[in-house]
Amino acid sequence: MTVIQENPASAAGAAPAASVADTEAEVLGLYRAHLSKGRATLAELFGSHMEVASEGAWLTTSDGERFLNAGGYGVFIMGARHPIVMEEVERQLRTHPTATRILLEPTVARAAEALVSVMPQGLDRVHFGLSGAEAVETGLKLARAGGFKRTISMRGGYHGKTLGALSATAKEVYQKPFRPLIPDFHHLPFGDADALAAELAAHPGETCVILEPVQGEGGVIIPPKGYLKRVEELVREHDGFLILDEIQSGFGRLGEWWGADFEDVRPDVLLAGKALGGGVLPVSAAIATRKAFRPFDKDPYVHTATFSGQPVLMAAVQGAVRAMKEDRLVTRATDLGAALLPRIAEIAYRNIPELVVDVRGQGLLIGVELVEAGLAGELLIELFNHGVVANHSMNGSSVVRFTPPAVLSDTDVEFLLNSFDLATRDLVSGAATMPEGGN
């Protein structure tokens, strides 16, 4: 594979080609032996490259090639190894990385304070976790402990793959091997407030609603304007419980701190993750109102995790909030998204008009929908061939998703757009030479 962006340092410090190839083969073998044969096969589609370093918007492979990271499933809103985050984490590593969880520990308290400072008003109680799915489980357990035994989630939504989160993730291929799942989960069309109203009216005081402001894994599905606010109004009207899953859409990704901010929505629980660890460490959180959090206040051992709130993770949270504020990255996400979306759309409709269905996005969450899933996979490979890492969408397999960091320079933006232009040209060239009926 050829990549048009070269690493200036690669000539001086790169390992010999044979050595790199041998190491890649060894690692690929270890994936097959100990991790996932399917994951190894996927890696081969991208040339078996190994990522070994990252900084800002760029990652470097073992053979010295550099790629612009517009993927990462939403983790890198502030890029990789942001200096403020690294400073906080390195300081904590040198002093007290892991706590006993018996004594008071100041880092978790200060991380909670920092996070609450950027939350919608009224969300001021925090439970930290590691993964997004953990945050989802926390939210669902708060709902159940509060007496809300029925749960409604939206078709196309993605909330994770642990058992409770999977029950909310309405995707047959993920659910089927693990049934029976948690009972009393029901799935409705995303964006259909009338369908939700009917369900809530039929079960007043019993229902938890969990949804995303924008369905990222669903293929960057943006609901009708006013839908989120109407969901909140319906939940309050029928004495329900509202969980807003902002694990991917939150922390500046959409051009506001939270998707809730666009329509002044106040859920009972808001879920955060991915970017919350500053692109350095895995951290998630469920942030709740005092009323919703009451079951955890009553018994501090009813829902616990050994690594919840550990000091080194909390240092990353403090650094992430600082970096977002000091570098004004929420505003930067708005400006970059406004510049990127129309230019990506113009390139797509110019180069592949018969292959593209839609180009849509909000902030730095941008999706390009193609006429079939196979073409989305091919476009991802063509983008990689031209030096850009993007993502597929788990619940919207025909959508290529861009989640670039808000630290892109003007040069980075032009590189991304030029690579997309070249990738789409190559895609249509490949489609033209494809045998009839081929994929």
Side-chain angles (χ1 to χ4, degrees), residues 3 15 46 54 97 133 144 150 180 217 222 230 239 257 260 308 389-390:
V3 179
F46 289 87
S54 58
R144 290 290 170 108
R150 300 179 77 256
E217 297 294 347
I222 301 169
R230 183 59 180 148
D239 299 319
W257 275 103
S308 170
V389 174

Side-chain angles (χ1 to χ4, degrees), residues 297-370:
D297 271 335
K298 183 178 180 182
D299 182 350
Y301 294 105
V302 74
H303 181 71
T304 60
T306 301
F307 293 104
S308 170
Q310 288 290 5
V312 70
L313 305 179
M314 298 300 95
V317 172
Q318 291 181 71
V321 175
R322 269 188 61 205
M324 293 293 290
K325 288 181 175 181
E326 293 180 18
D327 290 357
R328 298 178 59 82
L329 294 181
V330 176
T331 299
R332 181 68 175 156
T334 300
D335 295 342
L336 280 170
L340 281 170
L341 181 60
R343 294 184 68 184
I344 288 174
E346 186 274 326
I347 292 168
Y349 287 116
R350 182 185 71 229
N351 290 353
I352 51 173
E354 296 180 353
L355 303 182
V356 65
V357 174
D358 192 20
V359 179
R360 53 186 177 262
Q362 191 166 343
L364 290 176
L365 179 58
I366 297 171
V368 177
E369 183 177 357
L370 302 173

Side-chain angles (χ1 to χ4, degrees), residues 1 43 56 90 132-133 173 201 222 237 267-268 275 298 310 328 330 333 360 395 418 421 430 433:
M1 286 184 182
E90 287 169 354
V173 69
I222 301 169
E237 180 182 341
D268 297 288
K298 183 178 180 182
Q310 288 290 5
R328 298 178 59 82
V330 176
R360 53 186 177 262
N395 282 358
N418 184 58
D421 182 46
T433 58

Side-chain angles (χ1 to χ4, degrees), residues 7-16 20 62-64:
N7 181 359
S10 62
V20 169
S62 56
D63 51 8

Side-chain angles (χ1 to χ4, degrees), residues 368-421:
V368 177
E369 183 177 357
L370 302 173
V371 294
E372 61 179 60
L375 286 169
E378 290 175 30
L379 180 55
L380 284 171
I381 293 172
E382 295 295 354
L383 282 163
F384 190 79
N385 288 344
H386 291 288
V388 171
V389 174
N391 289 134
H392 70 292
S393 300
M394 291 188 182
N395 282 358
S397 56
S398 62
V399 178
V400 170
R401 193 156 34 113
F402 295 94
T403 53
V407 298
L408 292 181
S409 67
D410 291 345
T411 302
D412 295 336
V413 168
E414 291 308 314
F415 181 88
L416 173 57
L417 293 169
N418 184 58
S419 296
F420 183 64
D421 182 46

Side-chain angles (χ1 to χ4, degrees), residues 4-179:
I4 61 177
Q5 174 77 15
E6 294 182 357
N7 181 359
S10 62
S19 172
V20 169
D22 290 345
T23 304
E24 288 174 351
E26 178 192 5
V27 171
L28 201 60
L30 291 172
Y31 264 75
R32 285 204 168 90
H34 304 301
L35 294 169
S36 165
K37 291 180 180 179
R39 182 64 182 81
T41 300
L42 181 62
E44 287 181 305
L45 292 174
F46 289 87
S48 301
H49 285 265
M50 294 188 302
E51 55 184 275
V52 296
S54 58
E55 185 172 2
W58 294 85
L59 62 88
T60 304
T61 61
S62 56
D63 51 8
E65 293 184 278
R66 298 180 71 224
F67 295 83
L68 182 70
N69 186 5
Y73 299 98
V75 169
F76 297 103
I77 189 65
M78 62 201 72
R81 299 173 56 239
H82 191 289
I84 291 176
V85 182
M86 294 298 292
E87 174 192 338
E88 296 280 0
V89 168
E90 287 169 354
R91 180 189 298 118
Q92 197 64 42
L93 277 171
R94 289 193 298 268
T95 56
H96 186 52
T98 306
T100 65
R101 294 182 55 79
I102 297 296
L103 308 178
L104 289 173
E105 195 285 303
T107 314
V108 67
R110 289 171 182 152
E113 180 185 41
L115 182 54
V116 166
S117 76
V118 299
M119 297 303 303
Q121 187 175 5
L123 295 170
D124 59 8
R125 308 308 292 271
V126 185
H127 177 87
F128 287 108
L130 296 178
S131 70
E134 280 186 73
V136 172
E137 298 287 348
T138 300
L140 294 174
K141 288 180 72 175
L142 280 171
R144 290 290 170 108
F148 301 93
K149 305 304 184 185
R150 300 179 77 256
T151 304
I152 292 174
S153 63
M154 306 304 160
R155 294 173 196 156
Y158 184 88
H159 304 287
K161 293 180 180 139
T162 53
L163 206 57
L166 181 59
S167 301
T169 298
K171 180 75 170 179
E172 172 72 13
V173 69
Y174 302 142
Q175 288 190 347
K176 187 175 180 180
F178 306 105
R179 288 177 176 146

